[in-house]
Structure formats: structure tokens, C-alpha cells
Amino acid sequence: MKSARRRFTALAAAATFCAMAGTALAQDFVLKYGHVGPVGNDSDDHISGVFLKDFLEGRSQGRIRVDIFPASQLGNFREMIEQIQIGTLELTHTTVGGMASFFPELQVTDIPYTISDDRLAEEMMTGPFFQEVSDAILAKTGTVRLVATSNTGRWRSFYTTGAEVRTAADMAGVKMRTISSPLQQEFVRFLGGNPTPVPWGELYTSLGTGVVEGSKNAALDVVSNKLNDHLTYAILDEHAFLFGFYWMSDTWLQGLPPDLQDLVIDGVRQMAVIQTQFNKRLDGVANARFISEGGTIYVPTAEDRATFFPARDHITEWFTAEFGSEWVEKYTAAIKQASDKLAAERAALLGR
């Protein structure tokens, strides 16, 4: 009798195990997240990825596993977008340059000196403009979905290796690294510089060997990647807010059960907020570190910064000639809408 009970118990346990194993296999999803940033507590790409891993693995009760591939292990921006497109990568994070060759109209967000401050940019991140961008890119690629917009370094400014830049005239002849974005190359060219596209993973060596003499970056990117081993001067002209974009395989997303779809979207949008706030908090710290490690920062006077402003009109005209007026008009309208909303909120707060 005891033997029969033991056999029944063993069979029941085996049946339960097989059922659980079958369920686990049916609900086992892997999200691979690739990014170009280093590993570490001062890497915004990686900090946000660690959050996503903890969030999704915990909240899904193990139904989703997140694997992080940092430091360009899976390639540069373009290569990882291509992997998203063919379905071998589930999530990546890029700047505008990562999408410029697939959807060049996104470069409209890099028209210089158009975003006035962080609050305005953050209002736009969750507004209708980037939903229109998401719809347009998904329609064009069929598989690449913009899930969230973030800040990936706060503001781009000019950093140089040997010659200090204080006005637009000082840009003459400088071999300035740009991302793979025709707009950014035209911007540097208009200022008199020599635009030189260099993949992120090759920038440190390119600065050290003189392939480039400067770069358009944010302070945190410079110090966290030790680019200030070579870059010694900075002018905080803040010509562009560093929008960052989280691209996901729509094929993979649509293959999830509805509850996990919601969880993934929630997690990615939260990681975008974490990245934005992380960069805002550490921006001043990074500037101080740049100085303490031997760098020189010039905060331009209004007059010196104004010498760069003709580039804004030129790039707007260039963009319109290249891609038409539709996305310029959308972007301009979105800036005005966000500005008006923030102004109304301030007025209500102050009782004006």
C-alpha cells in the first residue's frame, strides 16, 4: 500500500513538473538589449539597462529574461538597428545618427539652437510629435518601433583637443567628429569645420591619432568614456538637446502575450525616464570632473553664442531643400505647442 502511494506521489509529481516545464517553455521570452555605452555606474545606457533587467525579470516572474550587450558588442548604431529590423535583436538605444540612414527626416530634431531648455525637451518626449515619428518609422521599416524617447547626455557642445573654440570663427578648419548624420555634417561644414563621421567605438583612438580634433558630445559622454584623455577644451554652446531613442522589434513585441506587451512597454518607458534624470543629475558632476582632470570649459557670453545662430537658419533651409517642409513644420509646431503648455502651467502656478 505504501509502495502504491509512493508510486502515485511520484507520478503526480512528475506530471506536475512536466506541466510546469511546458508552461515555462511556452512563456519563456528573451529580450536582448544592445547599446554602445560602457559598463559602469556612470554609463547612462547601462544603468537604464540594469533597471530594465531587474524590472522585467521581477515583474514577469521569470517569464522574460533580459540579456544586456554593452560597449558595441553587437555593433554600432546602424548595425544594431539592422539587427532589430531582421529580428535578431529585440531592443537597442541610439541617438539620431542610428536612424538617420533609415529615416533621415528624424534629423529634424538636430536642427541646432531650437530647444531652449530641458523642461521643453522633456515635454516633447511624451508629446504627439514622437508618436508621429514612431508611426512613420514603423510604416517604413515594418518592424522597427520607437517605444520611448529619452535624453542620452543632456546637451551636445563642442569639445576640442588643441585649439579652444570661443566663437563660430574658431571652428575654421577643425576636424570635428560627427555621427553618421548628413545634417550634423552640414552644420559643422557651415561653421567652417571639417566634418568627419567616426563610429562611437572608434572615437577614442581617432582622437588620439589625430584623425579628428574635436567632437560634438555631452560632458558625461566625454568623461565616462575617457575621451578627455585627448579632449582638453569645451565650449558649452549647447547646440542640440541629445534626444535618445529606444527601438524595439515590433515582431518580437507583437509575439508576447498582451500582459507582457504592456509590461515591456511600461519598463522601456521607465528606463527612458531613468536615463533622462540620470544624465541631468550627473551633467554638472561631469563638467566638474572634466575641469579637475585638466580640461578647460568656456561658457560663452550671449554675444559669442550668437555667432553660431546663423547655422540654425541655414540648417533649416538645408533640411527643407533635402527632405521637404513637412517634418520641419511638425517639429516647429510641436515646440510651440510644448512651449505654450509650459507657459500656461507657469502662469496658473503664479496666478497670472
Side-chain angles (χ1 to χ4, degrees):
M1 189 69 170
K2 289 182 179 178
S3 177
R5 280 200 301 269
R6 280 197 297 269
R7 283 198 300 273
F8 175 81
T9 302
L11 288 170
T16 302
F17 175 80
C18 289
M20 290 175 63
T23 301
L25 287 173
Q27 298 180 332
D28 187 17
F29 300 94
V30 178
L31 186 157
K32 298 185 297 295
Y33 167 52
H35 66 80
V36 302
V39 176
N41 292 331
D42 58 355
S43 171
D44 63 321
D45 288 331
H46 201 66
I47 288 292
S48 60
V50 170
F51 163 80
L52 185 69
K53 179 177 177 66
D54 293 342
F55 180 85
L56 289 184
E57 291 183 350
R59 297 297 179 94
S60 72
Q61 296 183 320
R63 295 162 69 194
I64 297 177
R65 188 179 85 235
V66 177
D67 295 335
I68 304 173
F69 296 87
S72 302
Q73 288 181 25
L74 300 182
N76 59 31
F77 284 153
R78 179 187 174 89
E79 290 165 340
M80 285 191 284
I81 290 290
E82 289 172 345
Q83 292 165 47
I84 294 285
Q85 200 165 18
I86 64 175
T88 59
L89 181 64
E90 288 70 50
L91 179 68
T92 192
H93 174 265
T94 77
T95 61
V96 173
M99 185 52 70
S101 57
F102 299 90
F103 190 78
E105 293 87 346
L106 186 59
Q107 295 173 94
V108 72
T109 60
D110 264 349
I111 293 177
Y113 311 108
T114 54
I115 301 294
S116 59
D117 53 58
D118 292 87
R119 188 69 187 91
L120 173 61
E122 290 166 20
E123 180 65 32
M124 291 185 64
M125 285 178 194
T126 56
F129 174 78
F130 284 113
Q131 184 58 55
E132 289 190 68
V133 168
S134 180
D135 293 343
I137 290 177
L138 183 59
K140 186 170 184 177
T141 64
T143 54
V144 181
R145 178 183 290 276
L146 175 61
V147 177
T149 306
S150 69
N151 171 262
T152 180
R154 202 155 176 262
W155 296 91
R156 278 197 191 97
S157 290
F158 290 115
Y159 289 78
T160 51
T161 57
E164 185 177 16
V165 172
R166 297 175 72 91
T167 69
D170 297 326
M171 287 286 292
V174 176
K175 292 183 289 184
M176 185 65 63
R177 181 261 179 179
T178 70
I179 61 175
S180 182
S181 163
L183 183 148
Q184 293 201 23
Q185 294 166 41
E186 181 63 22
F187 172 41
V188 170
R189 189 177 297 114
F190 177 79
L191 293 175
N194 180 8
T196 309
V198 171
W200 179 250
E202 300 173 17
L203 179 54
Y204 183 91
T205 301
S206 296
L207 287 165
T209 58
V211 171
V212 290
E213 303 165 313
S215 189
K216 289 159 34 58
N217 284 110
L220 186 58
D221 287 333
V222 170
V223 298
S224 66
N225 291 277
K226 301 186 183 303
L227 300 181
N228 56 318
D229 287 350
H230 307 297
L231 296 169
T232 54
Y233 293 101
I235 174 173
L236 299 187
D237 68 302
E238 297 185 341
H239 51 266
F241 185 84
L242 265 165
F243 285 112
F245 306 95
Y246 284 97
W247 310 104
M248 176 165 282
S249 165
D250 192 59
T251 303
W252 182 82
L253 183 64
Q254 297 294 346
L256 297 176
D259 64 320
L260 292 186
Q261 288 179 348
D262 294 343
L263 186 69
V264 167
I265 291 171
D266 184 29
V268 174
R269 289 184 172 174
Q270 286 193 62
M271 77 187 288
V273 173
I274 286 170
Q275 183 183 40
T276 297
Q277 297 304 321
F278 176 87
N279 282 316
K280 189 186 296 187
R281 182 178 69 85
L282 288 187
D283 184 64
V285 174
N287 282 324
R289 180 174 159 189
F290 182 81
I291 293 171
S292 71
E293 294 181 359
T296 300
I297 291 179
Y298 174 57
V299 180
T301 64
E303 292 76 16
D304 283 349
R305 190 167 185 263
T307 65
F308 293 88
F309 289 173
R312 176 178 53 208
D313 296 335
H314 171 77
I315 293 301
T316 301
E317 293 171 2
W318 175 89
F319 184 96
T320 302
E322 290 286 321
F323 308 112
S325 61
E326 177 185 4
W327 285 95
V328 171
E329 291 170 358
K330 289 178 183 291
Y331 188 55
T332 302
I335 291 173
K336 184 178 187 308
Q337 180 182 9
S339 297
D340 290 348
K341 180 181 177 181
L342 292 174
E345 289 176 357
R346 288 192 294 269
L349 178 67
L350 297 171
R352 293 198 296 237

